[in-house]
Amino acid sequence: MSQDNPTQPPKSDTPPGDRIAKVLSRAGLASRREAERMIEAGRVRVNGVQIDSPALNVTPSDKISVDGKPVGDPEPPRMWLYHKPTGLVTTNRDEKGRGTIFDDLPEDMPRVMTIGRLDLNSEGLLLLTNDGEVKRKLELPSNGWLRRYRVRVNGRPSDEMLEPLRTGITVDGEEFQPMTVTLDRQQGANAWLTIGLREGKNREIRRAMEAVNLSVNRLIRTSYGPFQLGELKPGEVEELKRKVVRDQLGIEIEDNTGTAIKKKPSHIVKRKPRKPGVPGPGRPGLPKEPGDKTATGKVIPGKPKPGYGKSKAPRPPSDAPGPRKFGTRVKSTRKP
């Protein structure tokens, strides 16, 4: 009777640990690509030895330093929602000396990276994270996270004009995937659209609109995947609870706590307090009723709907001298 010998698992030639660039990214120092450039520049040492190639695996027992400063243990992955205002660029430094979003963030924020970008004249939701793996996971085109935008264009778009965007369009030799485009409202010379896309190439919406003879004069990102802009005001930052990050991204986090507290920008814009009962500015880009005031104090032109903003007329006062007590007899005025 033959006896089967148990098969031994094949030995792996992969050294233990993780790639050095991934470890630096998890520590919140840089993205993977930035970490690789730091290594090539000779800024990283492992166990006191300067390295010049990212093709190195390290373990928790290895001592890593960047620019002479030791790299600590990686923090749990964290994410923030940020309402980017117009006039700021989404880079660490700008060659033209323009303000960046990092100049606007609260001073007690840790080092964060942006997930995707919004150009100078665009506003709305921008995701921030301290973890390079989270950044990479959310930016990969293969994951197909849906981004939604409120877009104001100059012109009178029709379904015929917008159809090329829904089926896919090529601009300057670059193919754009099909977008979801809905015409919400025509308002004078401008129209409001809701646009959804899953790629997010450089200035994709603006370039696609120009290709169908429409000019974008306002662009607001309202959502990125399951994450919503909500009531976040321009310049405000709100951290997501780590349980939300874990559930939405499917990653393991030992510490599921999180602040989820809104923080104001470094440069606070003072606005007059809103009186009780007076409607606020509303969600960015949504049309208002005629006669309403905007956030800047302008009155929306047109006639309001019948009864809009008006209360019922008060009931006319009674001729009776006062309330009658229960059980009081009243003299009849009826003739016999």
Side-chain angles (χ1 to χ4, degrees):
M1 184 175 178
S2 62
Q3 184 177 2
D4 294 335
N5 294 324
T7 57
Q8 298 292 333
K11 293 183 179 179
S12 175
D13 296 332
T14 305
D18 295 318
R19 284 296 178 106
I20 179 67
K22 180 179 179 180
V23 173
L24 294 176
S25 175
R26 289 294 305 274
L29 295 176
S31 65
R32 280 197 182 187
R33 291 183 180 179
E34 291 171 345
E36 290 174 357
R37 288 193 286 266
M38 291 164 59
I39 293 168
E40 293 171 355
R43 299 171 56 190
V44 181
R45 290 178 176 268
V46 178
N47 298 325
V49 179
Q50 179 179 315
I51 62 172
D52 56 6
S53 171
L56 174 69
N57 280 31
V58 293
T59 63
S61 61
D62 292 316
K63 296 180 179 179
I64 308 170
S65 63
V66 176
D67 297 333
K69 298 179 180 179
V71 176
D73 295 333
E75 288 188 356
R78 299 168 67 185
M79 281 183 62
W80 291 262
L81 309 178
Y82 170 60
H83 188 156
K84 176 195 174 296
T86 56
L88 298 178
V89 294
T90 316
T91 54
N92 292 318
R93 297 180 186 85
D94 185 63
E95 297 177 353
K96 300 180 181 179
R98 295 172 295 185
T100 73
I101 64 161
F102 299 100
D103 300 328
D104 192 59
L105 295 178
E107 295 179 357
D108 59 346
M109 284 275 292
R111 185 195 182 280
V112 293
M113 299 165 279
T114 63
I115 298 171
R117 293 191 176 190
L118 286 173
D119 60 37
L120 178 71
N121 296 318
S122 298
E123 56 190 294
L125 180 63
L126 188 64
L127 300 180
L128 308 173
T129 182
N130 68 329
D131 190 282
E133 284 298 302
V134 172
K135 172 182 171 69
R136 181 172 175 272
K137 189 166 187 175
L138 282 166
E139 286 182 343
L140 278 176
S142 57
N143 289 333
W145 292 90
L146 180 67
R147 293 92 152 164
R148 290 193 182 278
Y149 300 81
R150 291 278 299 169
V151 182
R152 188 176 66 191
V153 296
N154 182 256
R156 295 185 174 274
S158 61
D159 280 339
E160 186 179 356
M161 293 175 64
L162 300 175
E163 192 58 29
L165 306 179
R166 298 178 178 131
T167 57
I169 191 171
T170 302
V171 180
D172 298 330
E174 189 173 9
E175 294 183 1
F176 293 159
Q177 290 185 4
M179 307 175 183
T180 59
V181 185
T182 305
L183 176 59
D184 297 327
R185 185 179 181 183
Q186 183 73 44
Q187 193 172 19
N190 296 320
W192 280 102
L193 309 172
T194 297
I195 298 179
L197 51 85
R198 296 184 181 274
E199 275 190 310
K201 294 180 179 178
N202 183 32
R203 302 184 73 252
E204 182 172 353
I205 293 179
R206 296 181 187 274
R207 292 164 61 195
M209 288 298 163
E210 289 174 1
V212 295
N213 299 318
L214 294 171
S215 175
V216 175
N217 51 38
R218 192 174 181 190
L219 190 149
I220 309 163
R221 183 192 282 164
T222 57
S223 67
Y224 193 115
F227 308 108
Q228 306 288 325
L229 179 64
E231 300 298 326
L232 212 59
K233 297 178 181 179
E236 282 189 341
V237 184
E238 179 180 359
E239 182 178 5
L240 292 170
K241 289 185 177 180
R242 294 174 199 171
K243 183 179 182 298
V244 175
V245 179
R246 181 199 66 185
D247 295 343
Q248 295 294 344
L249 302 183
I251 57 179
E252 292 295 329
I253 302 177
E254 294 181 1
D255 183 4
N256 289 331
T257 62
T259 59
I261 295 175
K262 293 182 182 179
K263 296 183 178 181
K264 295 182 179 180
S266 298
H267 311 288
I268 300 175
V269 179
K270 293 185 178 180
R271 297 182 175 88
K272 293 182 179 179
R274 181 154 48 102
K275 296 180 180 179
V278 178
R283 196 168 61 179
L286 290 180
K288 295 173 176 286
E289 289 284 351
D292 281 358
K293 287 187 177 181
T294 64
T296 56
K298 295 182 179 179
V299 178
I300 304 296
K303 295 182 179 180
K305 294 179 180 179
Y308 178 77
K310 297 180 180 179
S311 58
K312 293 182 179 179
R315 183 177 294 177
S318 174
D319 295 334
R324 192 176 64 189
K325 292 183 180 181
F326 180 75
T328 305
R329 303 188 70 168
V330 180
K331 184 179 180 180
S332 175
T333 57
R334 202 165 110 188
K335 293 181 181 181

